[in-house]
Amino acid sequence: MTGSTRRLAINRLKERGPLDGDTVERFLARQQVPIVEGLRCTFLFRGEADEVWVTHRVLGLPDRLPLRRLRGTDLWSVVMELPERSRVEYQLELRRGEHYERINDPLNPHRSHSPVGGSSVVFGTGYEGPEWAEHDPETRPGELLELTVPSRALHRDARVTLYLPARFRRTASYPLLVVHDGPDYLQYAAAKTVLDNLVHRNEVAELVGAFLHPGDRLVEYADSTAHARFVTDELLPYLERRFPLNAQPAGRCLLGASFGAVAALSTAYRHPDTYGSLLLQSGSFVFTDIGSDHGGGPAFDPVVRFTNRYRARPRAVADKVFVSCGVYEPLIVPNRSMVPVFTDTGMRVRYVESRDGHSWENWRDRLRDGLSYVFPGPRKYVYE
Amino acid sequence: MTVTVLGPQRRPTVQPVPPGTVAATVTAGWREREADDAELDGLLGGSTVNLRLHTRWLTVLDADPELADAELNHRAVLEELQDLYALQVGNAEQAAVAIRRSSTRPRTRAAALADSEEALRLLDARHLARVTEVRADFEAAWRPGERDAVAQQRAQVAAVLEDTSLLVVTGGHVGVLLHVLGLFAVTPPADVVAWSAGAMALTDRVVLFTDGRAEAYAPGLGVVNDTVLLPHARRRLPMDDPARLGALARRFAPARCVVLDDGVRGLDRGRVVGADGRVA
């Protein structure tokens, strides 16, 4: 019997007849929860509650999936479709009387982490976390330096964490990767480990990374003139004076996710002929075709104005653009819509989708595709 | 001069040097790992001299900042040339694939395919000519061999080679190998053994190939002529796609495209890609 036709574990349990606590206990002890069987995923909760839901942000599914209690037990379950290679973050919501509570799944040890907290995560059949994002003892590590760059544009001293590759030499010349939301990329997307490994494996060029620490990111990253001026007129000269950087457009890339991707595009748009490539992950490129109801709240107002302006008069702002987005995030529609807009300007565009959401792990998992596109390593030159 | 070309040395087939033979090694393709040659030295019999060309190169760059700056700029120009050429080749190859798949009349399709293959050959030839010209301009402008930092190293390398009858060139980064072999004017002695990138550097035209695509890179040392060497072909080329392999063979003809599999010892043992894409 194949996996796709075999009855689900939860159904086999139900068919056993009256269930007692020990039977449920033994059942759970044999399972990895949620139970992934082919394209089906069974979420479980064990405990007393009046109602239980799975909450998630998967586009196309109801926001809350209600679990049903198995008769005579304190075990709750719901079955959801989970396509291959999916990765879904979720929580459980419980109602006890008038009291509502959101918790991570106590039966699932897998957690994802982000600046707004952790959540549970389930992997569809075939999903494999990238081994190049794990520490590799064979890899020589690069170095992180903390810099403070005085900024008149931002009216503050801007913190920048600088990544120097292993074997950094003053007599070499390096491309520069400017990373928005730098600390989050380092902490939640393992950016240093990823860079160390991909450089070591000749997949990405030896590069210098400038990981920016934002101030109020919802302001600075929402098409801010000040931010674009800081990056272009203050940060670039500061770094290019002090480090052996390839000070040509082809040697400069702006990377960002979500609002950070808006900041990357907006910075390149405001300073044409400065940046050779953009790496845009799940960009918050919300726009309106008519009217002003974009549904994103006030923080998105300047973003929508910028995206609408860009879509009305698109122009090439770099040679190469890498765009990625998860198909489960609401931003998939805006991102798909931007791809032909970018392509029509004559920029070279590579677009990658994944069965994932608006999450740091999604952005981490796409870094190899993106970085090897914008700054390819010397793989084609190496024949051991 | 006898030249022995080997396949990749994952499972080493290189043999110890005969008694009385003095062997020099070039492991510069390994770049910063150049000095990790104990295993190689052991395989060759334990009495080799590593020319340390990568280390010498870094020494020159530190000692002569003016040349270092000029070289950086020179390499950047070459990289730009390579990138733009690769872009053209990529588009030309995509066009060839689309033509091959088109539902046009066979005769029309064949003519268009012949044109697209000719366009690729033209791109290759023009690229190699430009690379040669840029390198010649750099040589003429900077005369690296006459600068103290380089001249000293060249003299030391020449002194080592004077007492050497065998040169062993390993794999690694073929661009680095070509550069340092040229910078330090390494003239191969009586016998040469080379594999992977080392063998590619010996050819008259170095062709890069990865992810199923091939690019002309630069003229090589010209010790092996009319031959394009393809080590690691199984991992880098569509070996189960005769149409694309045949296109590759026709593109670089009349040179032979020779697949260097693991364990191959000698050019005549390498399998040759035919114009029909069959490898025999």
Side-chain angles (χ1 to χ4, degrees):
Chain A
M1 188 179 285
T2 66
S4 59
T5 56
R6 186 182 164 88
R7 280 173 306 139
L8 297 178
I10 191 68
N11 292 334
R12 297 199 304 275
L13 177 70
K14 285 178 191 171
E15 287 163 9
R16 283 189 203 169
L19 300 172
D20 57 23
D22 288 345
T23 308
V24 170
E25 194 70 41
R26 285 196 300 275
F27 172 75
L28 289 177
R30 288 197 304 270
Q31 307 294 341
Q32 274 197 336
V33 178
I35 307 168
V36 177
E37 296 160 289
L39 303 181
R40 297 301 186 93
C41 172
T42 305
F43 292 92
L44 297 171
F45 172 72
R46 191 176 192 199
E48 288 307 321
D50 294 310
E51 289 183 280
V52 182
W53 298 269
V54 172
T55 65
H56 57 83
R57 295 180 64 198
V58 175
L59 185 70
L61 294 178
D63 291 346
R64 300 196 305 176
L65 296 172
L67 280 74
R68 294 179 65 177
R69 188 172 189 151
L70 265 69
R71 190 188 301 269
T73 74
D74 57 357
L75 185 66
W76 302 68
S77 74
V78 66
V79 178
M80 186 184 98
E81 179 188 352
L82 189 65
E84 287 183 352
R85 294 186 296 282
S86 292
R87 189 183 157 286
V88 169
E89 296 183 7
Y90 70 97
Q91 287 192 303
L92 298 176
E93 184 169 348
L94 315 178
R95 184 181 71 77
R96 294 184 178 109
E98 298 299 310
H99 180 68
Y100 288 81
E101 182 186 14
R102 280 199 180 189
I103 59 169
N104 288 328
D105 184 346
L107 296 173
N108 177 5
H110 297 296
R111 297 280 185 272
S112 71
H113 302 281
S114 77
V116 292
S119 59
S120 296
V121 58
V122 59
F123 308 105
T125 304
Y127 173 87
E128 285 182 16
E131 47 84 26
W132 44 262
E134 304 290 332
H135 171 71
D136 179 353
E138 295 285 309
T139 296
R140 283 182 64 171
E143 183 186 0
L144 294 179
L145 305 178
E146 294 300 329
L147 305 178
T148 301
V149 182
S151 172
R152 293 175 66 179
L154 296 174
H155 303 292
R156 66 179 170 91
D157 286 344
R159 281 185 63 198
V160 176
T161 302
L162 200 72
Y163 171 83
L164 301 180
R167 301 178 296 276
F168 173 79
R169 286 186 290 119
R170 289 274 163 191
T171 52
S173 173
Y174 298 91
L176 176 68
L177 177 72
V178 177
V179 185
H180 294 83
D181 290 312
D184 291 340
Y185 262 102
L186 289 167
Q187 183 172 354
Y188 301 115
K192 179 176 182 295
T193 304
V194 167
L195 283 173
D196 285 345
N197 287 339
L198 296 181
V199 167
H200 176 75
R201 299 170 191 202
N202 294 318
E203 296 197 45
V204 169
E206 293 183 340
L207 58 80
V208 169
F211 290 82
L212 310 184
H213 295 236
D216 183 347
R217 69 186 293 279
L218 290 183
V219 174
E220 289 183 5
Y221 286 2
D223 184 37
S224 153
T225 313
H227 173 75
R229 266 182 36 224
F230 161 64
V231 174
T232 308
D233 297 335
E234 296 177 333
L235 178 69
L236 288 186
Y238 181 94
L239 295 176
E240 287 172 1
R241 272 197 303 274
R242 289 167 175 77
F243 297 91
L245 299 175
N246 167 2
Q248 299 290 322
R252 301 185 188 120
C253 175
L254 298 172
L255 159 64
S258 195
F259 261 51
V262 175
L265 178 63
S266 156
T267 299
Y269 181 79
R270 290 172 181 278
H271 297 273
D273 304 322
T274 306
Y275 301 96
S277 50
L278 304 178
L279 208 165
L280 310 175
Q281 302 195 293
S282 305
S284 304
F285 300 125
V286 176
F287 61 86
T288 56
D289 287 312
I290 187 168
S292 57
D293 184 9
H294 53 72
F300 273 81
D301 287 344
V303 173
V304 172
R305 282 196 297 275
F306 167 69
T307 312
N308 283 352
R309 200 165 67 241
Y310 185 81
R311 290 173 60 83
R313 289 187 185 78
R315 65 166 189 252
V317 296
D319 296 336
K320 292 195 279 192
V321 184
F322 179 89
V323 182
S324 69
C325 196
V327 298
Y328 298 151
E329 41 183 324
L331 287 167
I332 187 67
V333 175
N335 276 272
R336 279 178 182 157
S337 302
M338 291 301 282
V339 171
V341 176
F342 289 144
T343 305
D344 286 349
T345 66
M347 295 189 287
R348 278 180 279 156
V349 180
R350 182 166 296 177
Y351 176 56
V352 172
E353 292 186 349
S354 54
R355 290 200 167 274
D356 209 323
H358 198 71
S359 72
W360 284 99
E361 279 86 350
N362 179 16
W363 302 329
R364 175 200 66 193
D365 289 3
R366 308 279 87 72
L367 282 176
R368 180 170 72 172
D369 286 344
L371 291 170
S372 63
Y373 178 64
V374 297
F375 291 141
R379 211 162 58 88
K380 69 180 177 185
Y381 296 98
V382 177
Y383 306 80
E384 293 288 1
Chain B
M1 181 190 300
T2 63
V3 178
T4 306
V5 168
L6 305 179
Q9 295 293 293
R10 278 170 187 266
R11 292 184 306 259
T13 57
V14 63
Q15 294 176 346
V17 298
T21 302
V22 181
T25 59
V26 174
T27 59
W30 300 347
R31 293 172 287 172
E32 75 287 345
R33 294 184 290 108
E34 177 182 59
D36 299 346
D37 62 351
E39 187 183 353
L40 174 67
D41 183 60
L43 290 167
L44 290 168
S47 58
T48 58
V49 181
N50 193 322
L51 293 179
R52 299 283 175 98
L53 299 184
H54 188 264
T55 307
R56 292 179 191 277
W57 179 33
L58 298 187
T59 303
V60 165
L61 296 179
D62 285 337
D64 191 341
E66 196 180 44
L67 179 66
D69 274 353
E71 217 189 62
L72 265 185
N73 188 52
H74 174 56
R75 283 206 304 277
V77 170
L78 289 172
E79 280 171 20
E80 285 179 5
L81 273 181
Q82 193 72 32
D83 287 348
L84 292 180
Y85 154 77
L87 193 60
Q88 291 173 301
V89 164
N91 286 334
E93 284 182 332
Q94 274 184 9
V97 169
I99 292 168
R100 206 174 290 129
R101 287 179 182 159
S102 73
S103 55
T104 49
R105 290 176 175 80
R107 196 169 158 188
T108 318
R109 189 166 61 236
L113 257 183
D115 288 348
S116 69
E117 290 187 359
E118 187 58 34
L120 271 171
R121 280 193 290 272
L122 177 68
L123 285 173
D124 295 339
R126 295 292 288 267
H127 175 62
L128 287 176
R130 287 211 174 89
V131 168
T132 304
E133 188 182 316
V134 167
R135 289 188 169 180
D137 289 348
F138 178 79
E139 279 292 321
W142 291 93
R143 298 183 182 283
E146 297 173 16
R147 299 177 76 91
D148 287 348
V150 178
Q152 285 173 17
Q153 301 291 345
R154 278 191 180 188
Q156 291 172 19
V157 170
V160 174
L161 287 173
E162 207 171 84
D163 300 327
T164 302
S165 53
L166 173 66
L167 184 70
V168 177
V169 189
T170 70
H173 193 298
V174 68
V176 170
L177 271 175
L178 271 181
H179 181 69
V180 297
L181 287 167
L183 183 66
F184 299 116
V186 174
T187 310
D191 297 314
V192 180
V193 174
W195 59 86
S196 295
M200 293 163 71
L202 299 181
T203 61
D204 51 356
R205 177 176 48 176
V206 177
V207 173
L208 310 174
F209 55 99
T210 195
D211 298 333
R213 295 172 59 176
E215 297 172 23
Y217 172 56
L221 298 187
V223 175
V224 175
N225 291 305
D226 300 322
T227 306
V228 171
L229 294 181
L230 307 172
H232 304 291
R234 261 184 303 176
R235 276 184 282 135
R236 291 173 178 257
L237 288 174
M239 299 302 281
D240 54 354
D241 187 342
R244 290 174 67 191
L245 280 183
L248 179 82
R250 294 192 298 275
R251 177 174 160 192
F252 295 108
R256 298 176 305 159
C257 290
V258 180
V259 172
L260 289 181
D261 296 316
D262 286 347
V264 165
R265 186 171 183 82
L267 256 185
D268 53 335
R269 298 298 180 92
R271 296 183 298 152
V272 177
V273 183
D276 58 358
R278 286 194 302 181
V279 184

